Structure formats: C-alpha cells, structure tokens
Amino acid sequence: MQDTTAALRQRVRDVLRRYPDSQRAFAERIGLDPTKLSKSLTGTRRFTPGELTRIAEVSGVTVNWLINGRDDAETVAADD
C-alpha cells in the first residue's frame, strides 16, 4: 500500500507541475485548504475520494489514472 500511495502523491505532483498557476491556486480551485494539499503531498494525510475527484476534474485526468497510473485498471471508487 505504501508504494501505491507514494505513486499517487507523485501523480498529483505531476498534475501540479502542469497546472499553469501556483499550488495554492490549485488548492483553492479544488476547494481544499492549501495546507491540507501540502500535507497530502508529503504523506502526512491522505487524499479523500472527493479531493481526488476534484483534482481529476480540474486537471483533465481520470481518478483511475491518479490512483493506478493508468486508465484501464479495474478498480472500485467511491465519492464522499
């Protein structure tokens, strides 16, 4: 599980690098406190399903890609 969550955090970092504005602006755009985003990126807290959904919507990727690194992986997802 550790490798999976580390990979997820790395994919979110990749999304942030492509985002045309700051990390703080991205956090605000997805309705997340910038401190919570930072803590999620460092592994101090986990992203919620709703946060992953909003990250995917704003960045144009799929939740499946964020979680698994590919779009064709079979998974179960739930939104909060």
Side-chain angles (χ1 to χ4, degrees), residues 1 5 8-10 13 15 22 24-25 27-28 47 49 51 53 55 61 67 70-71 80:
M1 187 65 162
T5 57
L8 167 69
R9 290 192 311 269
Q10 184 57 52
R13 284 187 201 99
V15 163
S22 67
R24 176 177 288 279
E28 291 171 358
F47 288 104
E51 291 165 357
T53 299
I55 290 167
V61 301
I67 294 170
R70 47 187 249 236
D71 288 325
D80 60 354

Side-chain angles (χ1 to χ4, degrees), residues 2 4-5 9 14 19-22 24 30-32 35 42 44 46 54 57 59-61 67 69 71-73:
Q2 182 66 18
T4 304
T5 57
R9 290 192 311 269
D14 292 344
Y19 189 70
D21 213 337
S22 67
R24 176 177 288 279
I30 64 170
L32 184 62
T35 303
T42 61
T44 304
R46 291 184 179 200
R54 291 189 302 275
E57 288 171 351
S59 63
V61 301
I67 294 170
D71 288 325
D72 62 347

Side-chain angles (χ1 to χ4, degrees), residues 1 8 10 12 20 23 26 29 31 38 43 45-46 55-56 73 76:
M1 187 65 162
L8 167 69
Q10 184 57 52
V12 174
Q23 181 174 313
F26 185 86
R29 175 106 189 265
S38 180
R45 74 178 287 274
R46 291 184 179 200
I55 290 167
V76 176

